[in-house]
């Protein structure tokens, strides 16, 4: 049986899950592939730290060159995370004739093109299934079983932390800050949750999907991105009244040669399968011209689910290598389509504002919205909950106003809302969210 030697960079949560995914199923992998895959060296800068897994100490090295320069290692698995030094290590591995498997969405979104070209130049493979939606095999499916399709859209719940927070807010009536604190205490959310709650993690993943699905290079910083921090419990309740749930949606769609994309909290009809993806789960909903609608659902994070995707890539690379058939493989990332990226495009929008409850306010608001060319689909005013007395000064009570605008560009919405505040028609604009049909 042929031995495939793998070097692993990093032994954090995903490293541990990858190691377990291999060794708990090693016999099955060997029986079905005829390959004896071994993780022979692991870059571990802190070998004294207990990783909660039984790994022979002699596998550990503190020197990355022990792996990158080892002629016996044919596959390097990069699980350090972050753009650097991970990109440099992957580039060096590829230059040294080793295939690379990574779970690193930030590095692939930033440097995937360069790394894919290096892989091609050196006749080795670059795989990154685990970088998008963890254990869900979306990238492999797109580049194998679904290759006969042109896709018109992809909508994903690609971040488990934010989906967990939104689900808990909706189902248990908790506010954002309390749920975030709880999620951090349970180890669901990072101590610094910025990349998750601000949508950056989802934008990295969407950038990779856009390349695979549409063949277009759109960097994560080009994708209009909004996180979930502005969402209040009121929005969740209003959305429910309208028959929607709120999800952080990463979307891209192609129409007439133009691709629109965004990451933003969105209202999804309760009847849509994505609306029922709860807690830390991820899902990807795609529409192809042959397969029609298709949804993938599963765990987008966690050691074993992500380790399952990493090992799937390792086995895929190892099989091709063994059969000596691989080195002309088409790179998965594509940047060659004749398409134009137009940012967010036009959508329906939900807007919650606060206004003083005085006669004529609604009329002034609708006049200004009309002047900006905004068509209103729904407008609701809820009764005031306060007397209007602030700091002993008597004013008209404040009321929440909720609108759903018909399809319109976000820039027009922003201009119109600025106008409303400048003209003192509304006290403040609390929330703006896309409505996804
Ligand atoms: N932090 C991510 C999430 C998992 O919460 O989904 C890794 O991409």
């Amino acid at each position: 049986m042929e031995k495939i030697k793998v070097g692993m960079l990093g032994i954090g949560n995903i490293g541990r899950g990858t190691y377990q995914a291999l060794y708990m199923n090693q016999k099955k992998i060997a029986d079905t592939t005829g390959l004896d895959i071994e993780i022979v060296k692991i870059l571990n800068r802190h070998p004294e730290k207990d990783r909660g897994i039984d790994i022979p100490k002699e596998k550990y090295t503190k020197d990355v060159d022990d792996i990158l320069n080892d002629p016996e290692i044919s596959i390097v698995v990069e699980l350090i995370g972050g753009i650097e030094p991970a990109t440099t290590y992957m580039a060096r591995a590829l230059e040294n004739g080793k295939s690379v498997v990574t779970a690193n969405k930030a590095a692939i979104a930033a440097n995937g093109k360069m790394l894919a070209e290096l892989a091609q130049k050196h006749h080795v493979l670059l795989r990154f299934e685990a970088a998008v939606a963890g254990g869900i095999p979306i990238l492999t499916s797109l580049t194998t079983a679904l290759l006969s399709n042109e896709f018109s859209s992809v909508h994903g719940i690609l971040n488990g932390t934010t989906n967990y927070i939104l689900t808990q807010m909706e189902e248990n009536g908790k506010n954002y800050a309390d749920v975030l604190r709880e999620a951090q205490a349970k180890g669901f959310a990072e101590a610094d949750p910025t990349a998750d709650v601000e949508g950056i993690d989802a934008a990295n993943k969407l950038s990779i999907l856009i390349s695979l699905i549409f063949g277009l290079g759109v960097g994560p910083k080009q994708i209009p991105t909004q996180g979930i921090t502005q969402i209040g419990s009121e929005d969740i309740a209003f959305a429910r009244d309208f028959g929607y749930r709120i999800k952080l949606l990463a979307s891209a769609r192609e129409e007439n040669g133009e691709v629109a994309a965004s990451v933003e909290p969105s209202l999804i009809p309760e009847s849509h399968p994505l609306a029922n993806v709860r807690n830390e789960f991820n899902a990807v909903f795609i529409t192809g011209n042959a397969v029609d609608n298709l949804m993938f659902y599963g765990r987008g994070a966690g050691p074993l689910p992500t380790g399952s995707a990493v090992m799937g890539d390792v086995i895929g690379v190892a099989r091709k290598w063994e059969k000596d058939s691989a080195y002309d493989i088409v790179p998965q990332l594509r940047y060659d389509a004749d398409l134009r990226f137009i940012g967010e495009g036009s959508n329906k929008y939900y807007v919650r504002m606060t206004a003083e409850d005085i006669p004529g306010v609604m009329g002034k608001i609708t006049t200004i919205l009309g002047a900006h060319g905004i068509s209103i689909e729904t407008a609701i005013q809820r009764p005031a909950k306060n007397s209007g007395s602030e700091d002993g000064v008597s004013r008209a009570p404040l009321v929440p106003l909720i609108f759903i605008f018909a399809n319109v560009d976000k820039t027009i919405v922003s201009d119109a809302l600025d106008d409303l505040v400048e003209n003192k028609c509304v006290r403040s604009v609390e929330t703006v969210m896309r409505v996804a049909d």
Side-chain angles (χ1 to χ4, degrees), residues 7 136 154 169 318 368 381 397 426:
I136 299 175
V154 56
M169 285 174 73
I368 289 186
Q381 179 192 320
V426 301

Side-chain angles (χ1 to χ4, degrees), residues 258-329:
E258 294 182 331
V259 172
S262 67
V263 172
E264 56 189 317
S266 306
L267 276 70
I268 303 179
E270 269 168 7
S271 56
H272 194 286
L274 283 172
N276 297 301
V277 175
R278 297 173 57 246
N279 288 323
E280 73 275 23
F281 280 86
N282 280 200
V284 185
F285 189 95
I286 52 176
T287 305
N289 60 358
V291 73
D292 202 9
N293 292 334
L294 187 58
M295 189 164 103
F296 294 76
Y297 168 89
R299 291 190 184 276
L304 273 174
T306 313
S308 155
V310 172
M311 274 314 299
D313 276 350
V314 168
I315 295 165
V317 169
R319 287 180 111 166
K320 289 180 184 300
W321 187 66
E322 191 222 17
K323 291 183 185 129
D324 198 20
S325 64
Y327 301 129
D328 58 349
I329 196 156

